Amino acid sequence: VAIEKTRKLINEIAEKSFAELDAKEIEIKAFQSKDTFFKAQFSISRFLTFRRMQTTIFVNPLTYEGRAPEEGIRAILAHELAHAIYYERKNRFQLLGLVSLINRDFTAKFERTADLVTIEKGYGSGLISYREWLYSVISEKQITIKKRNYFTPEELEIIIQGYEKNPEIMRSLKKSVPRNLDEVKAVFKEG
């Protein structure tokens, strides 16, 4: 059920907001986790065999059983599709750079940049509802990690409001991705 629901939503989101992606090319698989509900990765086997790249989006069935808000699910799928665009636009040598995801700062920049793309595509309020739901179902330790790697609801509010007033701000946000609430506030004081 989770795979079918996710497939339907991805098709809708891609058609509406990610015309540059062929949603039919995205594979969807289920996985189990207590604190992660969606994730995207490119196909390692295709990478190694030099075949055309393919993204897989993994869905945790608990997402739907845990009553995650639909607006939030749509937003986090848009976030995962932002990763799919990244994977598609990079060559194999550039994708090797993702080994840097073992570095906390790189991971935060990578995930927060996908959040910025998600906001640009119109799913910002959904990201807020997803993060609020997520914080209600994961451990305190995981909340701390998520807050480090992704924008918090408070940070998202500021960014969304600032972006609505000045869409050009997104270019500078992507160039120098804010790492915390103080940095987010500083961007919008200057802007």
Side-chain angles (χ1 to χ4, degrees), residues 8-9 12-13 69-79 118 123 126:
K8 183 176 184 275
L9 289 171
E12 289 173 14
I13 295 163
E70 183 165 339
E71 177 191 34
I73 292 172
R74 286 178 178 278
I76 203 64
L77 287 172
H79 171 101
T118 305
Y123 296 91

Side-chain angles (χ1 to χ4, degrees), residues 81-126:
L81 291 175
H83 287 316
I85 289 171
Y86 178 91
Y87 301 149
E88 218 169 79
R89 290 184 177 163
K90 301 295 181 184
N91 64 40
R92 281 172 165 71
F93 182 74
Q94 291 168 318
L95 289 173
L96 278 175
L98 289 176
V99 77
S100 299
L101 284 171
I102 60 173
N103 174 294
R104 289 171 140 190
D105 290 337
F106 184 85
T107 299
K109 182 177 181 184
F110 182 71
E111 296 297 351
R112 286 172 174 250
T113 300
D115 277 353
L116 294 172
V117 171
T118 305
I119 292 166
E120 274 184 307
K121 298 286 187 176
Y123 296 91
S125 64

